[in-house]
Amino acid sequence: MITTVTLNPAIDRTLYLNHFRPGEVNRASSIIETIGGKGINVSRTLHSLGIPTRATGLIGSRNQYRVEELFHDSGIDVDFATVDATTRTNTKVVDLHDRSTTDLNEPGMKVEETEISKWLIKLDESIESSEYVVLSGSLPVGCPSDTYRRIQDRFKGRTRFVLDADLQALCEGIKAGPYLIKPNLNELREAFNVTLADEHEIIAFTRTLIQTYGITFVLVSMGDDGGLLITKESAVRADALKVDLKSTAGAGDAMLAGCLYGLMMDLPLHDVLRVAVICGSLACSIQRGETFTRDDIFAHWD
């Protein structure tokens, strides 16, 4: 089983417009609401690929009923703790004309250290049956930037941790030596203040992280340029598929889910990345709330 952690989830409200005009009145052609957050997105894709998964984390009690409705619609197994707050709503505006997505993200709820401690009891119950635990997404107000590091330290040796965070949460989280990290290229550059002008520089830099922190895999998503999967001894690259772009929201999460699927299936390294990149590309070709299956992946396997 793969457990995913989302400490700052959101109701994702996606508005599709034929042409988005900033500063003017805009009318949506369709609206979709789903429960989102990076870990939840990973679980949703894993579930559609037939991998047992459970999503856990924190949700607000003040709009708990609506969140639980959306969880039910997703079909994934969940075990979230509630805090006295409101789960945020993130709004995505998809311009169907120029195929762009504008994100309007709320900061999220404020949590106390005691609430994190209570939730950790839930995580402790899942650890033993989890081959991987994915720590991903932003931290809610009140969570120290080293929260992901402390979670890994608490359960060290009991599972393999996967980290998908940015800025300080990434810099702190890698200090605990996660099994796999999945930054995108911009996150790498910004978090570590490096240029990374080409593929050779990306590989060289990520190998310094591998060597320094004992990381096994680094999965770098590069948008239209596909992705890189790097280990201490090997590095492979795969190009993104050419798809009819609907939205880039959640593409990185689908890519991570595909990578974990490949690892769970014991695929060769280049095939692990191949599945990951296909999943990321397919996520761009569907609307929010839609899913794809293993058959869709292998339809693009040539």
Side-chain angles (χ1 to χ4, degrees):
M1 187 180 73
I2 297 176
T3 295
T4 65
V5 171
T6 308
L7 295 179
N8 198 17
I11 297 172
D12 280 342
R13 184 174 172 83
T14 305
L15 282 66
Y16 290 89
L17 284 73
N18 291 324
H19 199 143
F20 176 48
R21 297 177 176 85
E24 300 182 21
V25 174
N26 291 269
R27 290 181 172 83
S29 59
S30 62
I31 301 171
I32 296 173
E33 276 194 350
T34 59
I35 185 66
K38 294 182 71 62
I40 295 167
N41 294 339
V42 171
S43 277
R44 183 181 290 111
T45 300
L46 289 170
H47 176 70
S48 71
L49 298 179
I51 298 295
T53 182
R54 176 181 296 128
T56 185
L58 303 172
I59 60 171
S61 61
R62 298 175 194 173
N63 57 347
Q64 180 179 353
Y65 178 75
R66 179 55 180 152
V67 171
E68 289 179 344
E69 274 187 326
L70 294 171
F71 273 138
H72 181 267
D73 292 344
S74 74
I76 60 176
D77 181 23
V78 298
D79 188 20
F80 278 71
T82 58
V83 298
D84 184 18
T86 301
T87 302
R88 62 184 175 150
T89 297
N90 288 343
T91 302
K92 301 177 186 299
V93 180
V94 178
D95 188 324
L96 298 174
H97 176 73
D98 65 12
R99 300 181 178 183
S100 65
T101 301
T102 301
D103 290 341
L104 305 173
N105 290 351
E106 297 179 8
M109 51 197 173
K110 182 177 181 180
V111 302
E112 303 295 335
E113 190 74 22
T114 55
E115 292 170 321
I116 293 289
S117 298
K118 290 179 181 178
W119 163 75
L120 282 170
I121 297 172
K122 285 185 174 292
L123 182 59
D124 187 45
E125 294 169 354
S126 296
I127 285 288
E128 295 303 331
S129 59
S130 300
E131 188 167 347
Y132 297 94
V133 172
V134 180
L135 306 173
S136 60
S138 62
L139 296 169
V141 178
C143 274
S145 60
D146 65 350
T147 297
Y148 288 147
R149 177 182 61 77
R150 292 195 294 167
I151 292 172
Q152 292 175 82
D153 287 342
R154 178 185 176 113
F155 300 108
K156 201 168 190 67
R158 295 173 60 188
T159 188
R160 293 169 172 170
F161 280 100
V162 176
L163 179 66
D164 183 7
D166 61 8
L167 298 176
Q168 199 62 27
L170 172 60
C171 293
E172 288 290 335
I174 63 172
K175 294 177 182 177
Y179 184 73
L180 183 153
I181 64 172
K182 194 222 74 68
N184 64 44
L185 186 51
N186 287 334
E187 287 167 347
L188 265 183
R189 288 168 171 160
E190 191 171 358
F192 299 100
N193 193 27
V194 290
T195 304
L196 304 181
D198 57 35
E199 181 177 325
H200 297 292
E201 291 188 5
I202 297 169
I203 293 170
F205 178 72
T206 53
R207 281 194 172 140
T208 65
L209 298 180
I210 289 170
Q211 183 67 33
T212 302
Y213 299 108
I215 300 165
T216 301
F217 293 101
V218 179
L219 174 64
V220 182
S221 55
M222 303 187 297
D224 291 342
D225 292 325
L228 286 164
L229 185 58
I230 302 137
T231 71
K232 184 178 180 180
E233 300 169 344
S234 303
V236 292
R237 178 174 179 169
D239 294 326
L241 299 178
K242 302 298 183 184
V243 297
D244 182 15
L245 181 65
K246 298 289 180 62
S247 171
T248 58
D253 306 323
M255 184 178 184
L256 175 56
C259 179
L260 293 172
Y261 172 86
L263 292 174
M264 291 283 282
M265 296 295 105
D266 292 321
L267 298 180
L269 194 65
H270 64 279
D271 285 342
V272 171
L273 180 61
R274 198 175 178 191
V275 172
V277 169
I278 290 173
C279 285
S281 299
L282 289 175
C284 294
S285 69
I286 59 177
Q287 291 188 338
R288 297 291 288 176
E290 295 179 345
T291 58
F292 54 86
T293 66
R294 285 177 291 188
D295 289 342
D296 295 317
I297 293 173
F298 292 110
H300 293 86
W301 198 272
D302 51 26

